[in-house]
Amino acid sequence: MIDHLRFFDARDWFQQRRFGLFVHWGLYSIPAWQEQILWRGRMPRQEYEPLLHQFNPVKFDPDQWIDVMDEAGMEFLCFTSKHHDGFCMWDTKYTDYNIMNTPYNRDIVGMLSAACARRGKGFGLYYSIPDWHHRHYPNQGRHHEMMGPRAGDEPDFRKYCEYMEHQVTELMTNYGEINQLFWDVNVIGYNNRAFNDRMRALQPSMLINDRGPAGGDFVTPERQVPEGMVFPRLTEAVQSLGRESWGYRENEDYYAVRHLMQGIDRVMAMGGNYLLNVGPKADGTFDGRDIASLRAVGKWYAKVRESFEDTVPATTMITEFTVEMRDPVLLTRRGNTIYVHLYQDAAADGITLKPFDTLPRRATLLNTGEELPCAVELMPFFHRDRRPYLHIRGLPVNRLSGEVMVLKLEFDDSWAL
């Protein structure tokens, strides 16, 4: 755990349960194009909103979702209670545009909350600030907004914020322990940080992200990993299994599993958390392609997981570490154990770690458990230094070309760098 980023209260779960599942699910799973089909696909609202009368996910089983989470090694779930379309996936008393007025007529948020509590998973809720349905939302054609109000709308910033605060309070009050509140797209400039404080008081273990009122507990880079070796703030990177959509897309382009592994490894080695998204189908099940990707990630993650648990980012503990490095790596550390993360494709079957000049007791490849030969020796590439460095050989770069490799270096108790 990174001490200077600790809260020293119930919120410190965040640095211990670091890999989670993001789920985008709603009416948009029926057209199966993209969760923002109203905005990006220009689908008329009068055609979209009647999908409420078709939504009937009779195959939804939250325990099946959690079974897949277990296979992937995920420890918490963050669910879209309301996306930009304004449709609510819980039994809210503040709008009729909700799950209880569908043929399904069951509280999805409540079912997920209960299942996560029963199965020992953390539970968080996403809530969109834009609302393309509510008559008081001030649509003005900004990003992630409709081009303007429709007939019958009554745009009113204050009334909409009251509606939003009532709903979020409802979510924070009626569904047990909530570990995360994930605001999204604060285009209207909602800045009531006192409301965030009230929600924290209702949910002492809850962290709030940086996309709502000022004063968020963690930042949320999306799709791209910022450059660097360590995150200066608590960070939760978000990525989806598919390249085009967060909600279910029938003809989705799926990321290569290796690409996902590289992102997860890099984020976690820099001290961040990772939230990987799936968009369930309209019937409540995960597409087979999603399950296959999550299982593949999970098999790799199970092998290298120890390099993230109770470790701290260690790349910057050596100020000259990146000087003349031939292979991009990141380090994590637990005591006298160093983990070397080859988060990009290794170019060769050997690697020299400058400025390490001490031989470890053991060098192991976590992916396979095999011990690797190593020596402290002068390498031709570093001849100008006239110093020997730690050289590790025997990396199975061809056999494991589809995985991110992580090396475990165990040094003597007397070792210090």
Side-chain angles (χ1 to χ4, degrees):
M1 186 175 293
I2 306 173
D3 284 340
H4 74 278
L5 297 179
R6 290 185 63 185
F7 296 99
F8 296 95
D9 59 29
R11 292 173 292 176
D12 281 338
W13 70 266
F14 190 80
Q15 291 192 69
Q16 298 168 335
R17 308 171 80 170
R18 299 178 57 194
F19 188 28
L21 180 70
F22 210 180
V23 177
H24 279 63
W25 194 33
L27 300 183
Y28 41 81
S29 62
I30 297 175
W33 187 79
Q34 211 255 8
E35 75 281 356
Q36 298 179 30
I37 191 170
L38 283 165
W39 186 55
R40 295 176 186 253
R42 307 298 191 267
M43 184 177 184
R45 282 181 282 186
Q46 63 267 29
E47 294 179 15
Y48 181 86
E49 291 174 353
L51 295 176
L52 168 111
H53 305 298
Q54 299 179 34
F55 194 63
N56 191 20
V58 293
K59 294 183 179 180
F60 170 58
D61 180 350
D63 281 297
Q64 289 183 356
W65 289 13
I66 295 176
D67 289 343
V68 175
M69 289 177 63
D70 282 338
E71 289 190 73
M74 294 166 161
E75 299 173 287
F76 65 97
L77 183 150
C78 186
F79 179 69
T80 50
S81 64
K82 185 197 78 164
H83 207 262
H84 311 330
D85 62 350
F87 180 73
C88 301
M89 297 290 279
W90 79 98
D91 185 8
T92 176
K93 65 182 181 181
Y94 296 102
T95 179
D96 293 334
Y97 196 49
N98 72 70
I99 190 68
M100 305 308 291
N101 292 309
T102 68
Y104 190 64
N105 190 35
R106 297 183 68 186
D107 189 324
I108 297 290
V109 169
M111 295 170 70
L112 282 170
S113 173
C116 285
R118 185 174 63 251
R119 299 283 295 271
K121 302 295 184 184
F123 186 56
L125 290 171
Y126 166 108
Y127 188 93
S128 168
I129 293 176
D131 190 313
W132 300 334
H133 172 81
H134 199 276
R135 70 182 189 278
H136 291 320
Y137 183 82
N139 282 294
Q140 299 178 17
R142 296 165 290 197
H143 70 88
H144 295 88
E145 285 187 343
M146 297 291 96
M147 290 306 297
R150 59 180 166 181
D153 283 353
E154 300 172 6
D156 189 308
F157 175 88
R158 181 172 296 181
K159 286 183 179 179
Y160 177 73
C161 289
E162 289 176 357
Y163 165 77
M164 182 169 60
E165 291 176 359
H166 284 314
Q167 282 207 312
V168 174
T169 301
E170 192 176 52
L171 289 167
M172 297 301 117
T173 304
N174 296 340
Y175 294 97
E177 184 176 12
I178 307 297
N179 301 117
Q180 182 176 118
L181 173 57
F182 196 109
W183 295 105
D184 201 17
V185 192
N186 190 9
V187 67
I188 61 174
Y190 171 66
N191 197 32
N192 185 359
R193 69 172 64 197
F195 180 74
N196 267 0
D197 293 339
R198 292 201 298 273
M199 296 304 99
R200 288 190 183 97
L202 289 173
Q203 295 287 346
S205 70
M206 184 175 71
L207 286 85
I208 302 175
N209 76 338
D210 61 330
R211 302 189 183 191
D217 299 312
F218 63 98
V219 297
T220 53
E222 183 172 320
R223 298 267 190 196
Q224 301 294 327
V225 180
E227 294 295 328
M229 292 180 286
V230 62
F231 291 116
R233 290 189 59 189
L234 284 179
T235 298
E236 180 178 85
V238 294
Q239 173 64 290
S240 189
L241 291 172
R243 192 175 195 175
E244 294 292 332
S245 181
W246 295 77
Y248 176 62
R249 175 174 167 79
E250 188 173 17
N251 298 318
E252 182 60 287
D253 297 331
Y254 278 79
Y255 284 113
V257 172
R258 182 179 62 179
H259 175 78
L260 298 172
M261 292 176 187
Q262 289 172 333
I264 294 167
D265 188 76
R266 188 175 170 199
V267 166
M268 289 196 173
M270 291 171 63
N273 289 13
Y274 203 90
L275 200 53
L276 185 57
N277 177 79
V278 63
K281 296 190 291 185
D283 65 3
T285 63
F286 291 168
D287 189 284
R289 296 166 296 176
D290 293 310
I291 294 173
S293 291
L294 290 170
R295 282 177 175 164
V297 167
K299 286 179 181 179
W300 165 79
Y301 186 69
K303 292 182 285 189
V304 304
R305 184 171 185 160
E306 71 168 80
S307 66
F308 306 121
E309 292 184 331
D310 299 318
T311 62
V312 294
T315 313
T316 56
M317 70 182 187
I318 311 164
T319 55
E320 70 216 80
F321 187 76
T322 56
V323 175
E324 293 192 270
M325 279 298 298
R326 303 173 81 179
D327 299 281
V329 301
L330 291 169
L331 304 179
T332 54
R333 181 175 187 172
R334 185 192 307 108
N336 281 349
T337 298
I338 295 289
Y339 297 95
V340 182
H341 300 259
L342 293 113
Y343 64 91
Q344 293 186 6
D345 298 336
D349 60 2
I351 183 171
T352 302
L353 298 177
K354 173 187 176 179
F356 285 86
D357 58 5
T358 301
L359 195 67
R361 287 190 292 108
R362 185 182 297 108
T364 309
L365 178 63
L366 287 185
N367 305 64
T368 63
E370 62 193 276
E371 193 164 338
L372 300 172
C374 56
V376 174
E377 56 184 323
L378 180 65
M379 298 297 292
F381 184 79
F382 295 108
H383 70 95
R384 291 186 179 86
D385 292 5
R386 298 183 178 274
R387 287 180 55 189
Y389 298 120
L390 179 60
H391 178 217
I392 301 172
R393 297 181 293 109
L395 300 176
V397 290
N398 296 317
R399 177 160 46 98
L400 293 185
S401 60
E403 291 189 21
V404 171
M405 289 186 284
V406 181
L407 315 182
K408 179 180 181 179
L409 309 181
E410 299 171 81
F411 292 90
D412 290 331
D413 292 341
S414 61
W415 175 80
L417 187 67

CSV table of all heavy atoms in Angstrom, one decimal, residues 115-149:
chain,number,residue,atom,x,y,z
A,115,ALA,N,-26.1,-9.7,-4.5
A,115,ALA,CA,-25.2,-10.8,-4.9
A,115,ALA,C,-23.7,-10.4,-4.5
A,115,ALA,O,-22.9,-11.3,-4.1
A,115,ALA,CB,-25.3,-11.0,-6.4
A,116,CYS,N,-23.3,-9.2,-4.7
A,116,CYS,CA,-21.9,-8.8,-4.4
A,116,CYS,C,-21.7,-8.9,-2.9
A,116,CYS,O,-20.6,-9.4,-2.5
A,116,CYS,CB,-21.6,-7.4,-4.9
A,116,CYS,SG,-21.4,-7.2,-6.6
A,117,ALA,N,-22.6,-8.6,-2.1
A,117,ALA,CA,-22.5,-8.7,-0.6
A,117,ALA,C,-22.4,-10.2,-0.3
A,117,ALA,O,-21.5,-10.6,0.6
A,117,ALA,CB,-23.7,-8.0,0.1
A,118,ARG,N,-23.2,-11.0,-0.9
A,118,ARG,CA,-23.2,-12.4,-0.6
A,118,ARG,C,-21.9,-13.1,-1.0
A,118,ARG,O,-21.4,-14.0,-0.3
A,118,ARG,CB,-24.4,-13.1,-1.3
A,118,ARG,CG,-24.6,-14.5,-1.0
A,118,ARG,CD,-25.9,-15.1,-1.6
A,118,ARG,NE,-25.9,-15.0,-3.0
A,118,ARG,CZ,-26.6,-14.2,-3.8
A,118,ARG,NH1,-27.4,-13.3,-3.2
A,118,ARG,NH2,-26.5,-14.2,-5.1
A,119,ARG,N,-21.3,-12.6,-2.1
A,119,ARG,CA,-20.1,-13.3,-2.7
A,119,ARG,C,-18.8,-12.6,-2.3
A,119,ARG,O,-17.8,-12.9,-2.8
A,119,ARG,CB,-20.3,-13.3,-4.2
A,119,ARG,CG,-21.5,-14.1,-4.7
A,119,ARG,CD,-21.3,-15.6,-4.7
A,119,ARG,NE,-20.2,-16.0,-5.5
A,119,ARG,CZ,-20.3,-16.4,-6.8
A,119,ARG,NH1,-21.6,-16.3,-7.4
A,119,ARG,NH2,-19.3,-16.7,-7.6
A,120,GLY,N,-18.9,-11.6,-1.4
A,120,GLY,CA,-17.7,-10.9,-1.0
A,120,GLY,C,-17.0,-10.0,-2.0
A,120,GLY,O,-15.8,-9.8,-1.9
A,121,LYS,N,-17.8,-9.4,-2.9
A,121,LYS,CA,-17.3,-8.5,-3.9
A,121,LYS,C,-17.7,-7.0,-3.5
A,121,LYS,O,-18.7,-6.8,-3.0
A,121,LYS,CB,-17.9,-8.8,-5.2
A,121,LYS,CG,-17.6,-10.2,-5.8
A,121,LYS,CD,-16.2,-10.4,-6.0
A,121,LYS,CE,-16.0,-11.8,-6.6
A,121,LYS,NZ,-14.5,-12.1,-6.8
A,122,GLY,N,-16.7,-6.1,-3.7
A,122,GLY,CA,-17.1,-4.7,-3.6
A,122,GLY,C,-18.1,-4.3,-4.6
A,122,GLY,O,-18.2,-4.9,-5.7
A,123,PHE,N,-18.8,-3.3,-4.3
A,123,PHE,CA,-19.9,-2.8,-5.2
A,123,PHE,C,-19.9,-1.3,-5.4
A,123,PHE,O,-19.9,-0.6,-4.4
A,123,PHE,CB,-21.3,-3.3,-4.7
A,123,PHE,CG,-22.4,-3.0,-5.6
A,123,PHE,CD1,-22.4,-3.5,-6.9
A,123,PHE,CD2,-23.5,-2.3,-5.2
A,123,PHE,CE1,-23.5,-3.2,-7.8
A,123,PHE,CE2,-24.6,-2.0,-6.1
A,123,PHE,CZ,-24.6,-2.5,-7.3
A,124,GLY,N,-19.8,-0.8,-6.6
A,124,GLY,CA,-19.9,0.6,-6.9
A,124,GLY,C,-20.9,0.9,-7.9
A,124,GLY,O,-21.4,0.0,-8.7
A,125,LEU,N,-21.3,2.2,-8.0
A,125,LEU,CA,-22.3,2.6,-8.9
A,125,LEU,C,-21.9,3.8,-9.8
A,125,LEU,O,-21.3,4.8,-9.2
A,125,LEU,CB,-23.6,3.0,-8.1
A,125,LEU,CG,-24.4,1.8,-7.5
A,125,LEU,CD1,-25.4,2.4,-6.6
A,125,LEU,CD2,-24.9,0.9,-8.6
A,126,TYR,N,-22.1,3.7,-11.0
A,126,TYR,CA,-21.9,4.7,-12.0
A,126,TYR,C,-23.2,5.5,-12.1
A,126,TYR,O,-24.3,5.0,-12.1
A,126,TYR,CB,-21.5,4.1,-13.4
A,126,TYR,CG,-21.6,5.0,-14.6
A,126,TYR,CD1,-20.4,5.4,-15.2
A,126,TYR,CD2,-22.8,5.4,-15.1
A,126,TYR,CE1,-20.5,6.2,-16.4
A,126,TYR,CE2,-22.9,6.2,-16.2
A,126,TYR,CZ,-21.7,6.6,-16.9
A,126,TYR,OH,-21.8,7.4,-18.0
A,127,TYR,N,-23.0,6.9,-12.2
A,127,TYR,CA,-24.2,7.7,-12.4
A,127,TYR,C,-23.8,8.8,-13.4
A,127,TYR,O,-22.9,9.6,-13.2
A,127,TYR,CB,-24.7,8.3,-11.1
A,127,TYR,CG,-26.0,9.1,-11.2
A,127,TYR,CD1,-27.2,8.4,-11.0
A,127,TYR,CD2,-26.0,10.4,-11.6
A,127,TYR,CE1,-28.4,9.1,-11.0
A,127,TYR,CE2,-27.2,11.1,-11.7
A,127,TYR,CZ,-28.4,10.4,-11.4
A,127,TYR,OH,-29.6,11.1,-11.5
A,128,SER,N,-24.6,8.9,-14.5
A,128,SER,CA,-24.4,9.9,-15.5
A,128,SER,C,-25.0,11.3,-15.2
A,128,SER,O,-26.2,11.3,-14.8
A,128,SER,CB,-24.9,9.5,-16.9
A,128,SER,OG,-24.9,10.5,-17.8
A,129,ILE,N,-24.2,12.3,-15.3
A,129,ILE,CA,-24.8,13.7,-15.0
A,129,ILE,C,-25.7,14.1,-16.2
A,129,ILE,O,-26.8,14.5,-16.0
A,129,ILE,CB,-23.7,14.7,-14.7
A,129,ILE,CG1,-23.0,14.3,-13.4
A,129,ILE,CG2,-24.2,16.1,-14.7
A,129,ILE,CD1,-21.9,15.2,-13.0
A,130,PRO,N,-25.2,13.9,-17.5
A,130,PRO,CA,-26.2,14.2,-18.6
A,130,PRO,C,-27.4,13.2,-18.6
A,130,PRO,O,-27.2,12.1,-18.2
A,130,PRO,CB,-25.3,14.0,-19.8
A,130,PRO,CG,-23.9,14.2,-19.4
A,130,PRO,CD,-23.9,13.7,-18.0
A,131,ASP,N,-28.5,13.7,-19.0
A,131,ASP,CA,-29.7,12.9,-19.0
A,131,ASP,C,-30.5,13.3,-20.2
A,131,ASP,O,-31.1,14.4,-20.3
A,131,ASP,CB,-30.5,13.1,-17.7
A,131,ASP,CG,-31.7,12.2,-17.5
A,131,ASP,OD1,-32.4,11.9,-18.5
A,131,ASP,OD2,-31.8,11.6,-16.4
A,132,TRP,N,-30.6,12.4,-21.2
A,132,TRP,CA,-31.2,12.8,-22.5
A,132,TRP,C,-32.8,12.5,-22.4
A,132,TRP,O,-33.4,12.7,-23.4
A,132,TRP,CB,-30.6,11.9,-23.6
A,132,TRP,CG,-29.1,12.2,-23.8
A,132,TRP,CD1,-28.5,13.3,-23.4
A,132,TRP,CD2,-28.2,11.3,-24.3
A,132,TRP,NE1,-27.1,13.2,-23.7
A,132,TRP,CE2,-26.9,12.0,-24.3
A,132,TRP,CE3,-28.2,10.0,-24.8
A,132,TRP,CZ2,-25.7,11.4,-24.7
A,132,TRP,CZ3,-27.1,9.4,-25.3
A,132,TRP,CH2,-25.8,10.1,-25.3
A,133,HIS,N,-33.3,12.2,-21.3
A,133,HIS,CA,-34.7,11.9,-21.1
A,133,HIS,C,-35.4,13.0,-20.2
A,133,HIS,O,-36.5,13.4,-20.5
A,133,HIS,CB,-34.9,10.5,-20.5
A,133,HIS,CG,-36.4,10.3,-20.2
A,133,HIS,ND1,-37.3,9.9,-21.1
A,133,HIS,CD2,-37.0,10.3,-19.0
A,133,HIS,CE1,-38.5,9.7,-20.5
A,133,HIS,NE2,-38.3,10.0,-19.2
A,134,HIS,N,-34.7,13.4,-19.2
A,134,HIS,CA,-35.4,14.2,-18.1
A,134,HIS,C,-35.7,15.6,-18.7
A,134,HIS,O,-34.9,16.2,-19.3
A,134,HIS,CB,-34.5,14.3,-16.9
A,134,HIS,CG,-35.3,14.7,-15.7
A,134,HIS,ND1,-35.5,16.0,-15.4
A,134,HIS,CD2,-35.9,14.0,-14.7
A,134,HIS,CE1,-36.2,16.1,-14.3
A,134,HIS,NE2,-36.4,14.9,-13.8
A,135,ARG,N,-36.9,16.0,-18.4
A,135,ARG,CA,-37.4,17.3,-19.0
A,135,ARG,C,-36.6,18.5,-18.5
A,135,ARG,O,-36.6,19.6,-19.1
A,135,ARG,CB,-38.9,17.5,-18.8
A,135,ARG,CG,-39.3,17.8,-17.4
A,135,ARG,CD,-40.8,17.9,-17.3
A,135,ARG,NE,-41.3,18.3,-16.0
A,135,ARG,CZ,-41.4,17.5,-14.9
A,135,ARG,NH1,-41.1,16.3,-15.0
A,135,ARG,NH2,-41.8,18.0,-13.8
A,136,HIS,N,-36.0,18.4,-17.3
A,136,HIS,CA,-35.3,19.5,-16.7
A,136,HIS,C,-33.9,19.6,-17.1
A,136,HIS,O,-33.2,20.6,-16.8
A,136,HIS,CB,-35.5,19.5,-15.2
A,136,HIS,CG,-36.9,19.8,-14.7
A,136,HIS,ND1,-37.7,20.8,-15.3
A,136,HIS,CD2,-37.6,19.3,-13.7
A,136,HIS,CE1,-38.8,20.8,-14.6
A,136,HIS,NE2,-38.8,19.9,-13.7
A,137,TYR,N,-33.3,18.5,-17.7
A,137,TYR,CA,-31.9,18.6,-18.0
A,137,TYR,C,-31.7,19.7,-19.1
A,137,TYR,O,-32.4,19.6,-20.2
A,137,TYR,CB,-31.3,17.3,-18.5
A,137,TYR,CG,-29.9,17.4,-18.8
A,137,TYR,CD1,-28.9,17.3,-17.7
A,137,TYR,CD2,-29.4,17.6,-20.1
A,137,TYR,CE1,-27.6,17.4,-18.0
A,137,TYR,CE2,-28.0,17.8,-20.3
A,137,TYR,CZ,-27.1,17.7,-19.2
A,137,TYR,OH,-25.8,17.9,-19.5
A,138,PRO,N,-30.7,20.6,-18.9
A,138,PRO,CA,-30.5,21.7,-19.9
A,138,PRO,C,-29.7,21.3,-21.1
A,138,PRO,O,-28.5,21.7,-21.3
A,138,PRO,CB,-29.8,22.7,-19.1
A,138,PRO,CG,-29.0,22.0,-18.0
A,138,PRO,CD,-29.9,20.7,-17.7
A,139,ASN,N,-30.3,20.5,-22.0
A,139,ASN,CA,-29.6,20.1,-23.2
A,139,ASN,C,-29.3,21.3,-24.1
A,139,ASN,O,-30.2,22.0,-24.4
A,139,ASN,CB,-30.4,19.1,-24.0
A,139,ASN,CG,-30.3,17.7,-23.5
A,139,ASN,OD1,-29.3,17.1,-23.5
A,139,ASN,ND2,-31.4,17.2,-23.0
A,140,GLN,N,-28.0,21.5,-24.4
A,140,GLN,CA,-27.6,22.7,-25.3
A,140,GLN,C,-26.8,22.3,-26.4
A,140,GLN,O,-26.2,23.2,-27.1
A,140,GLN,CB,-26.9,23.7,-24.4
A,140,GLN,CG,-27.8,24.3,-23.2
A,140,GLN,CD,-27.0,25.2,-22.4
A,140,GLN,OE1,-25.9,25.8,-22.8
A,140,GLN,NE2,-27.5,25.5,-21.2
A,141,GLY,N,-26.6,21.0,-26.7
A,141,GLY,CA,-25.8,20.6,-27.8
A,141,GLY,C,-24.3,20.6,-27.5
A,141,GLY,O,-23.5,20.5,-28.4
A,142,ARG,N,-23.9,20.7,-26.2
A,142,ARG,CA,-22.5,20.5,-25.9
A,142,ARG,C,-22.2,19.0,-26.0
A,142,ARG,O,-23.1,18.2,-26.4
A,142,ARG,CB,-22.3,20.9,-24.4
A,142,ARG,CG,-22.5,22.4,-24.3
A,142,ARG,CD,-22.7,22.8,-22.8
A,142,ARG,NE,-23.9,22.3,-22.2
A,142,ARG,CZ,-24.4,22.8,-21.1
A,142,ARG,NH1,-23.8,23.8,-20.4
A,142,ARG,NH2,-25.6,22.3,-20.6
A,143,HIS,N,-20.9,18.6,-25.8
A,143,HIS,CA,-20.6,17.2,-25.9
A,143,HIS,C,-21.4,16.3,-25.0
A,143,HIS,O,-21.7,16.7,-23.8
A,143,HIS,CB,-19.1,17.0,-25.7
A,143,HIS,CG,-18.6,17.1,-24.3
A,143,HIS,ND1,-18.6,16.1,-23.4
A,143,HIS,CD2,-18.1,18.2,-23.7
A,143,HIS,CE1,-18.1,16.5,-22.3
A,143,HIS,NE2,-17.8,17.8,-22.4
A,144,HIS,N,-21.8,15.2,-25.4
A,144,HIS,CA,-22.7,14.3,-24.7
A,144,HIS,C,-24.0,14.9,-24.3
A,144,HIS,O,-24.6,14.6,-23.2
A,144,HIS,CB,-21.9,13.7,-23.5
A,144,HIS,CG,-20.7,12.9,-23.8
A,144,HIS,ND1,-19.5,13.4,-24.0
A,144,HIS,CD2,-20.6,11.6,-24.0
A,144,HIS,CE1,-18.6,12.5,-24.3
A,144,HIS,NE2,-19.3,11.3,-24.3
A,145,GLU,N,-24.5,15.7,-25.2
A,145,GLU,CA,-25.9,16.3,-25.0
A,145,GLU,C,-26.7,16.3,-26.3
A,145,GLU,O,-26.1,16.2,-27.3
A,145,GLU,CB,-25.8,17.8,-24.5
A,145,GLU,CG,-25.3,18.0,-23.1
A,145,GLU,CD,-25.4,19.4,-22.7
A,145,GLU,OE1,-25.5,20.3,-23.6
A,145,GLU,OE2,-25.4,19.7,-21.5
A,146,MET,N,-28.0,16.3,-26.1
A,146,MET,CA,-28.8,16.5,-27.3
A,146,MET,C,-28.7,17.9,-27.8
A,146,MET,O,-28.2,18.8,-27.1
A,146,MET,CB,-30.3,16.2,-26.9
A,146,MET,CG,-30.6,14.8,-26.4
A,146,MET,SD,-30.5,13.6,-27.7
A,146,MET,CE,-28.9,12.9,-27.5
A,147,MET,N,-29.1,18.1,-29.0
A,147,MET,CA,-28.9,19.4,-29.6
A,147,MET,C,-29.7,20.6,-29.0
A,147,MET,O,-29.4,21.7,-29.2
A,147,MET,CB,-29.2,19.4,-31.1
A,147,MET,CG,-28.2,18.5,-31.9
A,147,MET,SD,-26.5,19.1,-31.7
A,147,MET,CE,-26.6,20.8,-32.3
A,148,GLY,N,-30.7,20.2,-28.2
A,148,GLY,CA,-31.5,21.2,-27.5
A,148,GLY,C,-32.7,20.6,-26.9
A,148,GLY,O,-32.9,19.4,-27.1
A,149,PRO,N,-33.5,21.3,-26.2
A,149,PRO,CA,-34.7,20.7,-25.6
A,149,PRO,C,-35.7,20.3,-26.7
A,149,PRO,O,-35.8,20.9,-27.8
A,149,PRO,CB,-35.3,21.9,-24.8
A,149,PRO,CG,-34.7,23.1,-25.4
A,149,PRO,CD,-33.4,22.8,-25.9
